[in-house]
Amino acid sequence: MKQRLHAGAVLVASLLLIPLVQSAHAVDPITTISLATWGSSPAETAALSDAVATFEARNPTIKVNLIVDTDHGAQMAAKFASHTPPDVFYLDAGVAQDWANQGVLLNLMPSITASNFSLSAFNKSYLKPFQAGGALYALPKDANPLVLEGNKTLMKKAGIKALPTTTAQFNAQAKIFLKKKITPMCVDADINRLGAYFVAFGGGIADSSGTKSLLGSAGTKAAMLWVMSNYRSGAFRTPAQLSAGWAGEAFGKAKCAYTMEGAWLDPFLKDSFPSVYQSMVKAPLPMAKHAGSLAFTAGYAIGKESANPAQAWTFIQYMTGARGMTVWTSYGVALPSRSDVSIPLGYEVNGMVAKAPTTVTTPAFIGWSKVIDAFNNEAKKQIQDKKFIPAKAAAAVLAAASAAWPA
């Protein structure tokens, strides 16, 4: 009897120990966060997936569900309206102030302060679009200036040995290309492309405050006249005119000798049009009064109603820190927005343009997206009229954009 009781006691004790042993080896729960992005190409999405994998390896309790939106702005608007925003998402600088004003973004400053996360390495012009008052609604994940890309094969056919360094040289080369029935330049009629020439001609889009319009300046008017004259002569063609979805596709299909895009073009060409990629050369955009370009940035943001803000911040802290940004930009899709991260090999021209004093970060203010729409719609409308007069067309486009500028 005593032996049975003893055996039973041992059994009960063993059973009681099992949960204790299991708890000692318990695995921390895994949280899955959603990451909503856009993608310029499958190559960009693949690069992001690889960069995210390095985050997951260093943070085994957080998994990332990558969502590539087909229309990021519209899909994000719908998610905000339904109170179901993703945990982290790309925030374009052009709409950052609008979304902040709508109250749908989480202020990152409390997390930044609590984590002792330093902002000193970030280019201030890349932080500015995401700041409002004392709040900071996103951290810039990268940056991209516009540069001139050329197809050496088409240049050789026209007997042109080097990319143009001035607008006058471009004009001369354009005539040679057109005689050879080669489209000189594919560039969309978009203020976020053509605005680079506003800067080069001594004007601009907005002043240093980012709110006062420069669309009425003499330099911008001169640039717009030059631009519309090029569309009239055929020196410029939009992607639609070349039956392409965007300028990079037209360039990849050798439908134009030149285009003007950022670092995102490189992996797209390497993946989809390797022969053109091998034939590509780069330079700063042709200068007029001086050199000029536009730089773009986008940030990682958290929705005010995101389900996992703590884990989302952990992700942003890694991806915008020196280590994560080094991994991400190493794929060549974009340039670092931090001074302590090196420019990737092969992107020296992009890096040089990014650091130029006359490379201007695109404006960011409440209502900027309406200016973009007004400019682009009028520009496309004018170009569709094949008999348009450049001076009148230029004036009409600038007038439409000026009318949309917030009072």
Side-chain angles (χ1 to χ4, degrees):
M1 184 69 175
K2 287 182 179 180
Q3 289 178 342
R4 290 181 181 177
L5 285 173
H6 178 71
V10 170
L11 177 61
V12 171
S14 298
L15 291 172
L16 289 173
L17 281 171
I18 289 173
L20 294 176
V21 173
Q22 288 179 335
S23 64
H25 296 283
V27 177
D28 290 336
I30 294 175
T31 301
T32 299
I33 62 172
S34 53
L35 168 62
T37 73
W38 60 77
S40 64
S41 68
E44 179 177 349
T45 300
L48 180 58
S49 296
D50 287 348
V52 167
T54 69
F55 164 79
E56 292 178 327
R58 298 180 65 85
N59 297 272
T61 63
I62 304 176
K63 298 299 179 185
V64 180
N65 177 26
L66 177 59
I67 303 165
V68 182
D69 292 332
T70 54
D71 186 343
H72 187 67
Q75 287 170 267
M76 285 300 303
K79 291 168 186 174
F80 287 138
S82 63
H83 305 283
T84 57
D87 294 304
V88 191
F89 48 89
Y90 278 7
L91 177 61
D92 181 77
V95 299
Q97 294 297 318
D98 287 320
W99 289 11
N101 188 55
Q102 292 167 17
V104 296
L105 303 177
L106 184 70
N107 179 12
L108 301 184
M109 282 309 301
S111 296
I112 291 170
T113 302
S115 304
N116 292 317
F117 185 82
S118 176
L119 300 177
S120 61
F122 288 98
N123 183 313
K124 291 182 180 180
S125 69
Y126 301 149
L127 284 170
K128 187 175 180 180
F130 309 116
Q131 294 172 323
L136 179 62
Y137 293 104
L139 285 177
K141 66 185 186 69
D142 51 38
N144 250 316
L146 295 173
V147 302
L148 181 67
E149 294 98 354
N151 183 324
K152 288 189 296 184
T153 302
L154 293 181
M155 292 167 65
K156 186 176 181 180
K157 286 183 179 179
I160 293 173
K161 297 181 180 180
L163 294 171
T165 59
T166 66
T167 52
Q169 285 183 5
F170 175 84
N171 293 341
Q173 290 186 4
K175 293 177 181 178
I176 297 171
F177 278 124
L178 289 172
K179 286 182 180 179
K180 296 287 186 177
K181 300 189 182 303
I182 298 172
T183 296
M185 170 83 83
C186 180
V187 55
D188 210 346
D190 186 328
I191 195 171
N192 280 324
R193 294 293 183 276
L194 305 180
Y197 294 114
F198 300 173
V199 179
F201 274 79
I205 299 174
D207 68 353
S208 58
S209 73
T211 57
K212 183 180 178 182
S213 173
L214 294 179
L215 297 181
S217 66
T220 297
K221 290 179 179 178
M224 198 63 204
L225 176 59
W226 181 76
V227 161
M228 295 310 293
S229 295
N230 281 326
Y231 280 118
R232 184 73 180 87
S233 70
F236 281 10
R237 283 282 182 261
T238 67
Q241 289 175 317
L242 296 176
S243 302
W246 67 293
E249 180 188 355
F251 185 77
K253 291 181 176 179
K255 293 188 173 185
C256 55
Y258 301 150
T259 192
M260 45 183 290
E261 296 289 334
W264 58 81
L265 180 63
D266 295 54
F268 168 74
L269 292 177
K270 189 174 183 180
D271 185 57
S272 302
F273 302 98
S275 62
V276 172
Y277 174 74
Q278 293 297 327
S279 182
M280 182 173 66
V281 288
K282 296 182 186 180
L285 296 177
M287 61 180 175
K289 183 177 180 180
H290 52 229
S293 187
L294 294 180
F296 306 92
T297 189
Y300 281 116
I302 302 173
K304 208 168 189 178
E305 297 180 286
S306 293
N308 302 292
Q311 292 84 357
W313 167 245
T314 299
F315 175 81
I316 293 176
Q317 190 174 5
Y318 171 78
M319 293 296 286
T320 62
R323 183 186 295 272
M325 192 174 294
T326 297
V327 173
W328 163 239
T329 57
S330 70
Y331 294 99
V333 177
L335 303 184
S337 53
R338 298 176 60 104
S339 61
D340 55 356
V341 178
S342 299
I343 300 295
L345 292 176
Y347 294 85
E348 290 78 11
V349 171
N350 304 71
M352 177 179 66
V353 172
K355 294 177 181 179
T358 49
T359 294
V360 179
T361 304
T362 50
F365 52 81
I366 297 172
W368 166 237
S369 59
K370 294 180 180 178
V371 177
I372 294 174
D373 290 342
F375 181 100
N376 296 358
N377 291 339
E378 185 61 31
K380 288 175 174 59
K381 176 185 173 183
Q382 291 293 330
I383 292 169
Q384 285 173 358
D385 178 4
K386 296 180 180 180
K387 296 182 180 180
F388 72 85
I389 299 172
K392 290 184 178 179
V397 175
L398 292 177
S402 296
W405 200 281

